[in-house]
Amino acid sequence: MAQATIDRYFRCSQPPRTASRFTFLDLPFTLRRRIYLHAGILSKSPIYLNHVPSSGSPCALEYDSAYPEQWPTEGAISARSSSLAHFLDGYLSWPQIHLNRFCQCFDEHDLGQCICNNNFPYQLLYVSKVIAEEVSTMFYSENEFSVYRTGLEGLSNLSHLPPKALTRMKSLSVSLNCYTEGFGWGNDFDPEGPGFCHAMCLASKRQRLFSNAKKHNEKSALKQWQQLCKLLGSWLQPHCLKLFLTCDVADVEIAEEFVRPLLQLPTLQECSVRLGSHYNYTEIDPSEPLTELARQTVNKMIRHSARRNFRYNDLPNEIQLRILEHTELATPFDLVWAFNTDVAVLIKSPYYESRTFHSCSSVWSSASCCQKCSPKTQACACWSGQAAFSSTCTCWRFPLSLFLVSREIRKDAEFIFYSKNHFLLQPRYWNNSEHLEIYNFLKHIPANGRRYVRRITWALSNLEKRDGYLEPDHLTYSQWQEAVSILLHDVLPWHLSLTIDPQFDLQAILYSHGSDYITLPENTGVDEAEHVWTVCKRLVKSLAENNRLENLFIHFLWPFEEHKDGIPKDRGAILEKIVLKEEYDSSARGKYDRTQFDRY
């Protein structure tokens, strides 16, 4: 017989409370995730696993990794570092390590002056097991993590994490060695500033390049790296991790030893490998083997499972062309054509994007990072400026391989390449050529490809009287006549938009006098302007004889007339109407729509 409860002998004035039928865990996970996000579980910057030396003992030699309990301590621990300890060190943080963790503030300010306000909601870890599991999963899978071999504890910080953390991790940056020759120490980092694309490109650790001599530094780094790859290989899930590796070396032999441990890892989602910087070399040849090794390594790490061969040739030609449009044959940025320039020689192609190698310079060191090759706090891994390869890099490179597959695909590739891109022809003084720029370009294009060209911008050389450029008795003018003949007969002019830029404005006048900061008389440059105007009229006269162009845009900012709303009057419209009649309105047809790395 069951024993009766005491409640049956007492009369309650209030009805008994019933258990709540709805709890936080009854919410859909999408809503709970939004709540976790608002609580601040995601970091705006990468999470560094390394600690920062104490402000009172900045020397790293005082920190023996075998005895962390003897390390100097930091008096002021930031709220960010304190909250991170609960996620990275377990429920009870290590009492013997009382230091801040590295953060982006230490790239921008002095040590000990962390101003991060991204404090992680570690209290959620102690609410319940279910919530702790969800929060921990989001923390490791949706944040970016970074570890430095040269930081305190080196790469061993990863081995201190629980196995579940490594399994859930989706983005990891590992820096074994970063060397940038000629750059000093720096604390200020502006990702939008000139000259530097990533934090490590500016605040280099000033380490020497790893070499095949295998001194203590190389042996220690290689041992740590092998141990880390073995650990990661045991716990990582295939096709989940984005790995960004920086290891600047001096020769291919030592590079092969450092990339070999990567083969222990499962297939990665994305991968970036940097083995050196082009700034370290005076010639391109020494870095080519490193770049090729990085490319082969990345392709092995992101290898896809074997699939049945796809019969591309069985598709209708319309679908084949649409597929080719999504390859590197077409780019939304201007394609510079500058034959025999420094950049063209180094990349072995006369075509390159103006966003990567700005049109104001033709030297290799002006290569700009795409900001997609690796996290901004890591070293740049773009092929255009480093001995590196990244599966996430968006820097454009001429897709030569597509032109070598077969005769049929080459024909389709020529159609897409020449019809979908906007070609920017740079002045001839870039390559010390005596030939006219547009003449050089049209002669360089295969005869079958000329009829596909749709958009050309021609930047004229400096139109100075003493050069004889485009004068009736000069070689360049006869080449212009031949170029017009090619445009009218080989190119389809009724599909062509031709832009002519004399590159003449007030800034050009100031530059010709040696400075942008000098004061000149009001009538300065009138003779030069009249000469440029005469040359431009001579050009459009040749075009007017066969006015079959779809669009003609001529940019001639006359700097001596009244400005309307601060904008100089564009006399190019007068020249355009000579060719395409009075009713032609270039502004309505997109003359000023181009706003990329150019003048318009």
Side-chain angles (χ1 to χ4, degrees), residues 285-551:
D285 293 337
S287 64
E288 281 189 347
L290 294 177
T291 303
E292 180 61 21
L293 177 60
R295 185 190 66 81
Q296 294 176 1
T297 303
V298 170
N299 289 337
K300 290 179 182 179
M301 298 312 301
I302 61 173
R303 57 189 179 276
H304 300 287
S305 58
R307 297 179 180 178
R308 182 171 58 87
N309 291 335
F310 177 68
R311 298 181 62 85
Y312 172 83
N313 292 330
D314 293 344
L315 293 173
N317 186 249
E318 294 81 0
I319 298 180
Q320 293 180 5
L321 294 177
R322 291 298 299 272
I323 293 175
L324 293 178
E325 285 183 21
H326 289 81
T327 66
E328 289 188 324
L329 287 171
T331 171
F333 297 90
D334 292 344
L335 276 187
V336 177
W337 187 86
F339 184 73
N340 202 33
T341 60
D342 291 342
V343 174
V345 172
L346 291 171
I347 67 175
K348 296 179 174 58
S349 171
Y351 300 100
Y352 49 86
E353 276 188 352
S354 57
R355 64 162 181 157
T356 303
F357 303 97
H358 291 179
S359 58
C360 60
S361 178
S362 62
V363 295
W364 178 266
S365 61
S366 64
S368 298
C369 177
C370 66
Q371 301 287 320
K372 302 294 184 181
C373 59
S374 61
K376 282 189 176 182
T377 54
Q378 291 301 110
C380 175
C382 290
W383 68 266
S384 56
Q386 321 296 334
F389 189 84
S390 173
S391 60
T392 59
C393 178
T394 60
C395 292
W396 185 88
R397 196 167 195 171
F398 182 72
L400 178 62
S401 58
L402 291 176
F403 290 84
L404 305 177
V405 177
S406 67
R407 187 174 301 175
E408 292 75 14
I409 294 182
R410 177 189 178 92
K411 181 180 177 181
D412 291 343
E414 287 182 346
F415 170 72
I416 296 298
F417 181 71
Y418 291 111
S419 64
K420 299 299 181 181
N421 290 312
H422 190 135
F423 297 98
L424 178 60
L425 314 184
Q426 293 294 356
R428 59 177 183 161
Y429 55 77
W430 276 40
N431 50 23
N432 299 318
S433 173
E434 296 295 330
H435 299 292
L436 195 66
E437 299 85 359
I438 192 170
Y439 172 83
N440 258 348
F441 174 69
L442 295 175
K443 283 292 187 179
H444 176 82
I445 296 177
N448 293 333
R450 292 175 185 169
R451 59 195 179 105
Y452 301 136
V453 178
R454 297 293 182 264
R455 294 172 293 172
I456 298 176
T457 292
W458 174 23
L460 277 63
S461 300
N462 294 335
L463 296 175
E464 298 182 4
K465 295 181 180 180
R466 62 178 182 272
D467 294 333
Y469 181 72
L470 287 174
E471 292 296 324
D473 57 347
H474 197 266
L475 173 64
T476 52
Y477 188 73
S478 62
Q479 291 176 346
W480 164 244
Q481 297 288 352
E482 187 173 351
V484 172
S485 177
I486 295 175
L487 289 174
L488 297 178
H489 297 94
D490 295 350
V491 181
L492 303 179
W494 50 88
H495 292 312
L496 177 65
S497 294
L498 176 63
T499 302
I500 299 178
D501 181 11
Q503 300 195 98
F504 182 83
D505 53 19
L506 185 58
Q507 294 297 324
I509 296 174
L510 295 173
Y511 179 78
S512 64
H513 284 79
S515 175
D516 293 346
Y517 303 99
I518 61 177
T519 302
L520 299 175
E522 293 184 0
N523 61 345
T524 300
V526 174
D527 292 340
E528 292 93 329
E530 292 293 348
H531 172 67
V532 174
W533 179 253
T534 302
V535 172
C536 290
K537 287 195 297 184
R538 190 181 299 128
L539 294 178
V540 299
K541 183 179 179 181
S542 302
L543 292 172
E545 296 174 358
N546 295 277
N547 56 347
R548 293 184 292 170
L549 291 174
E550 180 182 12
N551 289 305

Side-chain angles (χ1 to χ4, degrees), residues 130-170:
V130 176
I131 293 179
E133 187 76 8
E134 292 179 348
V135 170
S136 179
T137 300
M138 286 186 60
F139 176 80
Y140 285 107
S141 64
E142 300 191 34
N143 282 308
E144 297 178 354
F145 295 88
S146 182
V147 62
Y148 293 83
R149 182 189 63 85
T150 56
L152 292 185
E153 305 167 280
L155 303 181
S156 63
N157 289 278
L158 276 171
S159 62
H160 296 157
L161 298 178
K164 285 186 177 181
L166 299 178
T167 303
R168 298 163 178 167
M169 198 171 289
K170 298 297 178 64

Side-chain angles (χ1 to χ4, degrees), residues 181-193:
E181 185 177 3
F183 294 160
W185 291 91
N187 292 324
D188 296 330
F189 169 59
D190 179 10
E192 307 298 332

